[in-house]
Amino acid sequence: MRQSWWKILAIALLLYTFTAGLLWDVPRLPILNETIRALYFHVTMWFGMLVALLVSMIYSIRYLRGNNLKDDDVAIEFANVAILFGMLGIFTGMLWAKFAWGDYWSGDPKQNAAAIALLMYFAYLILRGSLTDTQQRGRISAIYNIFAFAVYIPLVYILPRMTDSLHPGNGGNPGFNSYDTDATLKLVFYPAIIGWILFGTWIATVRIRMRRVERTLEDRMLNS
Amino acid sequence: MKKILTIALLFFSFVALAQEKIAVTESDYSNSSVDMADLMRSNGKIYIVVGIIVIIFIGIVAYLIYTDRKLSRIEKSISA
């Protein structure tokens, strides 16, 4: 059990999210009703995706600076976790939208932007899959990853806010104010964000270690 | 033959006994005088949903911990 305190913290925070998030009092708002609790699950997916993509981009830069394949492992696996969170975010959002806005897909600017962002990162996976040389794959995909992140931020977090959108926090009003997130919601919302980020990091680290073991074995096969 | 007869008679005697029992009626389900596990039934049985989600999450976490440990063992065996 080396350095496992943050894994325990992740489990504790998520157990808290599931119990307090479903049981505690929430504002009784029309249309939303109990679905306001999806804040702890749907919205946190996007925070998880954002942080995972940030880590992925930082390690892509590190890879370009040092040409160390270990950095490439981190970049791809955090991107994988980000895509997982993004897909879960899209699907949970569609279900929520059906009952809050009346349709699974309303062509809302943020919905469209999130879908484009996912396609952009699917392209990252396809790009990686199409290159066989590890150094070449690392280099080209790192450059793509950095540019993809530079597009992702304005696409999902800035542009939808500049037009009218069904999402709260868009169409001119700030995302975090007393109207959409009051103090009791934050008591679960913030721990939930940290919990999901740590849980995603855990999954990523397990897969990174898997990649490294695989590489060690391959190197041994080649050298023996 | 004697055995089979005994078993058959025994079987019928059980049926006869069963008929003497008090039947469960609709009122046994609808009464509120008997306390059952009512905490788990309050608030539209939301606690059940919470329980189900927590069980699923614990299952996934246990699987992840198992994978994590297995990987640690493999890492050890490779470095050794």
Side-chain angles (χ1 to χ4, degrees), chain B residues 3-62:
Chain B
K3 262 184 195 166
I4 294 167
L5 203 71
T6 317
I7 290 168
L9 283 172
L10 214 68
F11 178 76
F12 283 117
S13 71
F14 277 135
V15 174
L17 259 178
Q19 281 168 343
E20 285 165 25
K21 280 183 180 168
I22 301 161
V24 172
T25 58
E26 194 59 39
S27 65
D28 290 318
Y29 286 99
S30 55
N31 79 73
S32 57
S33 57
V34 182
D35 278 329
M36 300 297 276
D38 288 329
L39 169 73
M40 291 298 270
R41 291 171 204 276
S42 61
N43 292 319
K45 295 180 188 166
I46 187 66
Y47 294 99
I48 309 290
V49 181
V50 174
I52 288 167
I53 292 173
V54 167
I55 288 167
I56 288 177
F57 178 68
I58 288 172
I60 292 171
V61 164

Side-chain angles (χ1 to χ4, degrees), chain A residues 3 26 61 116:
Chain A
Q3 301 284 307
V26 289
I61 293 172
I116 294 165

Side-chain angles (χ1 to χ4, degrees), chain A residues 11-28:
Chain A
I11 296 167
L13 286 174
L14 288 180
L15 284 175
Y16 168 72
T17 305
F18 293 137
T19 48
L22 288 166
L23 297 176
W24 270 17
D25 278 346
V26 289
R28 304 173 79 92

Side-chain angles (χ1 to χ4, degrees), chain A residues 125-143:
Chain A
L125 298 184
I126 292 165
L127 178 68
R128 289 187 67 92
S130 63
L131 297 167
T132 47
D133 181 77
T134 49
Q135 289 289 345
Q136 189 190 33
R137 177 171 63 206
R139 186 161 274 274
I140 292 172
S141 64
I143 295 164

Side-chain angles (χ1 to χ4, degrees), chain B residues 60-73:
Chain B
I60 292 171
V61 164
Y63 188 63
L64 188 56
I65 291 172
Y66 169 76
T67 311
D68 197 326
R69 290 209 173 158
K70 192 171 185 176
L71 191 55
S72 297
R73 277 203 300 277

